[in-house]
Amino acid sequence: MRQMHRRCSSEAMHRRWGRPVLAERDYHRLLHAAQCFLTRDGAGEAVALTCLGPVPGEAGCADLGLQVADASQGLGIGTALAWHAASHARTAGWHTLTAYTQATNTALLGVLRALGPVAENRDGPCVEVRLPLNALTRPPRLREVGWSP
């Protein structure tokens, strides 16, 4: 997540987090508040990491972080994990799922759009995506038989 935010403008960081650069203590505070899910394949190798954390100053908003290993992309794993995270956030009482990424990250944008009707707010080279969790669609189907989040 640190690298992604560094690629986005410091102006965008200020709007998102209240300051242009996050201090190390803030990273630790955010990581402590986050819920992370590690997905492994049948051999025990990590194939994805999904994180949910609160957006500072926005009660009820869960920020989504999602990484899928290159070899596991294109199988629907990211979509299934994002849906699982959104469903978990809704059950936990959060009302909005957000993600902040580069506008060129078409894979993540497609994953988020598959979850339901999203609002996208362009912020220079980045885009913030917001999904009202009461509009979450049904679970996606995986392309690989036998895999489940």
Side-chain angles (χ1 to χ4, degrees):
M1 187 154 93
R2 177 183 278 177
Q3 290 176 349
M4 176 192 69
H5 287 304
R6 283 194 177 152
R7 283 184 256 157
C8 295
S9 73
S10 62
E11 197 175 300
M13 283 287 293
H14 188 269
R15 281 191 294 280
R16 180 80 171 168
W17 301 103
R19 62 186 75 88
V21 176
L22 287 177
E24 196 67 28
R25 71 179 181 280
D26 293 323
Y27 285 115
H28 292 288
R29 180 180 54 79
L30 290 169
L31 287 174
H32 179 70
Q35 299 172 23
C36 296
F37 310 94
L38 180 65
T39 304
R40 298 183 300 177
D41 64 15
E45 295 294 318
V47 296
L49 176 64
T50 311
C51 293
L52 283 172
V55 176
E58 291 193 54
C61 289
D63 192 48
L64 174 69
L66 179 63
Q67 293 182 336
V68 177
D70 291 346
S72 297
Q73 292 181 7
L75 301 173
I77 293 171
T79 303
L81 290 172
W83 187 90
H84 178 72
S87 179
H88 178 77
R90 182 176 58 190
T91 300
W94 289 347
H95 56 74
T96 303
L97 183 74
T98 68
Y100 192 75
T101 189
Q102 296 228 307
T104 57
N105 189 347
T106 56
L108 180 59
L109 293 172
V111 162
L112 295 168
R113 291 171 185 145
L115 298 180
V118 296
E120 298 179 26
N121 185 18
R122 186 74 185 247
D123 190 12
C126 298
V127 63
E128 179 186 37
V129 179
R130 298 174 82 80
L131 170 70
L133 291 173
N134 63 358
L136 187 61
T137 61
R138 65 185 176 155
R141 293 176 98 42
L142 287 169
R143 291 182 198 98
E144 185 174 314
V145 176
W147 187 93
S148 63

